Amino acid sequence: SRGAIPSEYLDRLDLQNLIFHDDIRLERIVANNGQPIIITSQPFINGVAATAAALDDLMLGKGYEKLTDGAYYDERTGLLVFDLVPRNAILAADGQIYPIDPVIQRIMPDFGQFLREHPDTINLIPG
């Protein structure tokens, strides 16, 4: 009831591929009692949990500003990325970080400014 609608979810997957050069693929959509089930795949990644500092470096390097732990905003693109914490990111042996299911939302600049002023509200945003 609080999650993304299917089109939002698919948009988030596409954004994750664009931002993080991931390889998430839409395999199929099936119906279950009239409700869509979206089936995706992505390569298996061997590694360890990334550190919070490494995630900060990754996102700052991509031009995002840190709003609070695990939450980043790019005003140019209007993208908010949150729930990007060590348990949701794998550091591979080659040094690349692979985020696993971060929440990515398109937001308006006024909401971005609100989040700058009230970063404690980010975890209250329905994902």
Side-chain angles (χ1 to χ4, degrees):
S1 65
R2 291 184 48 196
I5 62 173
S7 61
E8 290 171 326
Y9 179 73
L10 292 172
D11 185 47
R12 289 179 186 177
L13 294 180
D14 185 50
L15 290 170
Q16 184 169 340
N17 282 341
L18 290 172
I19 296 167
F20 301 109
H21 309 288
D22 212 332
D23 190 21
I24 299 171
R25 296 178 183 197
L26 173 63
E27 297 293 339
R28 68 185 61 85
I29 299 174
V30 296
N32 182 22
N33 296 322
Q35 297 295 315
I37 296 175
I38 299 171
I39 300 170
T40 62
S41 66
Q42 69 186 116
F44 177 79
I45 303 155
N46 211 356
V48 298
T51 64
L55 292 170
D56 288 347
D57 289 346
L58 172 71
M59 296 307 288
L60 295 174
K62 291 182 175 293
Y64 285 73
E65 68 178 280
K66 181 178 177 176
L67 299 176
T68 191
D69 290 342
Y72 309 88
Y73 174 55
D74 182 349
E75 187 172 33
R76 294 172 302 109
T77 61
L79 295 177
L80 172 68
V81 177
F82 66 101
D83 201 24
L84 185 53
V85 294
R87 72 175 181 275
N88 290 339
I90 297 172
L91 174 62
D94 65 2
Q96 185 166 343
I97 295 174
Y98 295 90
I100 306 299
D101 202 25
V103 179
I104 305 171
Q105 289 186 315
R106 296 175 187 273
I107 63 173
M108 300 301 293
D110 59 333
F111 189 51
Q113 185 58 39
F114 171 82
L115 293 175
R116 283 185 184 112
E117 296 167 8
H118 305 281
D120 54 309
T121 62
I122 292 172
N123 288 330
L124 304 176
I125 299 171

